[in-house]
Amino acid sequence: MGMRMGVVVKQNGIRRNKDLKGGTTLITDLLPSHFLGVNNKRLGVCGWLLFSLSFLLVIITFPISIWMCLKIIKEYERAVVFRLGRIQADKAKGPGLILVLPCIDVFVKVDLRTITCNIPPQEILTRDSVTTQVDGVVYYRVYSAVSAVANVNDVHQATFLLAQTTLRNVLGTQTLSQILAGREEIAHSIQTLLDDATDLWGIRVARVEIKDVRIPVQLQRSMAAEAEATREARAKVLAAEGEMNASKSLKSASMVLAESPVALQLRYLQTLSTVATEKNSTIVFPLPMNILEGIGGVGYDNHKKLPNKA
């Protein structure tokens, strides 16, 4: 049984054990680092000493200590474990049971459910110099618990303040009519900006909505008066167009009736029939125009004045 010779080589700050046959193994692989979830990062002499003492304390006080070391992580939660100030793994632990050593391990729970961020009314000066108050709501969730804990102090407060600032900056470049008409496009642009800014924080913005746009009362009255005047002008134009079309139709009908006097009499009788069916006590009987001309002594075709008396 021969001995296996090797040398220790330090490469990129990592001590490697290289044997003469070319095989390479990590020194940390020889340690029980996989036990209890210890990371491959070097803990140092003091770190391993404290780890050994903590593990020994768990064994001595077993089974009482097991109830203090076992933690339950819910399905919608993740736990970021710090051992001697260092994060244990590249991703958070959970859901289920995790083992936390006393005195050297500290863990932080992170909720992965969607969170609603209500943006209070923000007083904004639009591009056309109109003061408005706009409020909204942002829906986001944490997709990386490690980034949310390690990269920012308070991820929810940071997202809340960033949402307020982004809302003010985006709406300040829009006119009042654009804000009132293009809420969906503005909300989409705000969502894109927030999602890009919070990516390093482990935050993913799911949806942004603008709830209400409040404008001053005087401006509301001015806009209402302007809209009413526009509707009245449009109504007058439509009425004039209707009168013009009706006059053209009446002209065509009169030309048809003038070709046949009998048709005009039949129209008179039809009108009387229509009036009689409405149970009216007064019946209006129209007379032909030539009879009126004979009675009045004045023709409608030739406008002649009567001779003055001497």
Side-chain angles (χ1 to χ4, degrees):
M1 183 175 181
M3 296 179 61
R4 187 174 183 179
M5 303 297 294
V7 294
V8 177
V9 180
K10 187 173 183 181
Q11 182 180 0
N12 296 330
I14 301 176
R15 298 181 64 190
R16 299 178 182 273
N17 185 14
K18 187 173 183 180
D19 57 15
L20 298 180
K21 293 183 179 181
T24 303
T25 57
L26 291 174
I27 291 295
T28 53
D29 292 340
L30 303 178
L31 300 176
S33 59
H34 61 281
F35 193 72
L36 296 178
V38 179
N39 198 1
N40 288 332
K41 297 179 181 179
R42 295 182 58 189
L43 295 178
V45 178
C46 294
W48 282 109
L49 180 60
L50 292 176
F51 171 75
S52 302
L53 292 177
S54 178
F55 186 65
L56 183 60
L57 180 63
V58 172
I59 295 177
I60 294 174
T61 59
F62 187 84
I64 299 175
S65 61
I66 196 65
W67 300 106
M68 300 177 59
C69 296
L70 288 179
K71 303 296 180 181
I72 299 176
I73 305 301
K74 298 179 181 178
E75 183 67 30
Y76 55 85
E77 293 178 341
R78 296 296 183 270
V80 181
V81 180
F82 293 87
R83 177 160 296 164
L84 297 177
R86 295 182 178 181
I87 297 178
Q88 277 304 103
D90 295 335
K91 63 179 181 179
K93 295 183 178 181
L97 287 174
I98 65 172
L99 183 61
V100 179
L101 294 179
C103 302
I104 64 172
D105 285 353
V106 177
F107 73 98
V108 179
K109 286 185 180 180
V110 179
D111 196 336
L112 301 183
R113 293 177 293 182
T114 300
I115 299 174
T116 303
C117 177
N118 189 14
I119 303 177
Q122 303 292 313
E123 189 171 354
I124 299 170
L125 183 64
T126 61
R127 193 174 64 181
D128 51 353
S129 301
V130 177
T131 303
T132 61
Q133 287 187 351
V134 183
D135 56 351
V137 59
V138 178
Y139 301 92
Y140 68 92
R141 66 180 183 88
V142 178
Y143 74 91
S144 177
V146 175
S147 299
V149 173
N151 294 342
V152 63
N153 183 16
D154 189 349
V155 65
H156 301 295
Q157 183 69 13
T159 305
F160 174 70
L161 296 177
L162 182 61
Q164 290 186 12
T165 307
T166 306
L167 179 66
R168 296 173 64 91
N169 293 337
V170 172
L171 294 182
T173 60
Q174 305 290 329
T175 61
L176 180 60
S177 59
Q178 291 175 350
I179 294 174
L180 295 176
R183 293 190 180 185
E184 294 183 1
E185 291 79 5
I186 295 174
H188 183 69
S189 62
I190 294 175
Q191 177 183 351
T192 303
L193 294 175
L194 284 177
D195 203 9
D196 294 339
T198 58
D199 190 26
L200 296 177
W201 302 345
I203 296 294
R204 182 164 297 162
V205 180
R207 190 177 182 86
V208 176
E209 291 292 340
I210 297 177
K211 293 195 298 185
D212 192 14
V213 179
R214 301 183 183 91
I215 56 179
V217 179
Q218 296 180 355
L219 183 59
Q220 292 180 10
R221 294 175 180 174
S222 301
M223 294 176 64
E226 181 182 0
E228 185 178 0
T230 303
R231 288 192 296 268
E232 290 180 356
R234 189 181 298 112
K236 291 181 180 179
V237 171
L238 293 176
E241 291 178 355
E243 291 292 338
M244 182 178 64
N245 295 332
S247 63
K248 291 180 180 180
S249 300
L250 290 175
K251 179 181 178 181
S252 301
S254 63
M255 293 175 63
V256 173
L257 293 175
E259 295 176 357
S260 177
V262 179
L264 182 60
Q265 296 297 329
L266 292 176
R267 183 59 181 166
Y268 287 163
L269 295 177
Q270 186 178 3
T271 304
L272 289 176
S273 166
T274 303
V275 173
T277 55
E278 295 178 358
K279 298 179 181 181
N280 293 329
S281 59
T282 303
I283 298 177
V284 180
F285 186 78
L287 296 177
M289 291 297 183
N290 52 5
I291 297 178
L292 294 177
E293 293 175 0
I295 294 176
V298 180
Y300 288 91
D301 294 334
N302 49 352
H303 300 280
K304 298 180 181 179
K305 296 183 180 180
L306 294 176
N308 297 328
K309 294 182 181 180

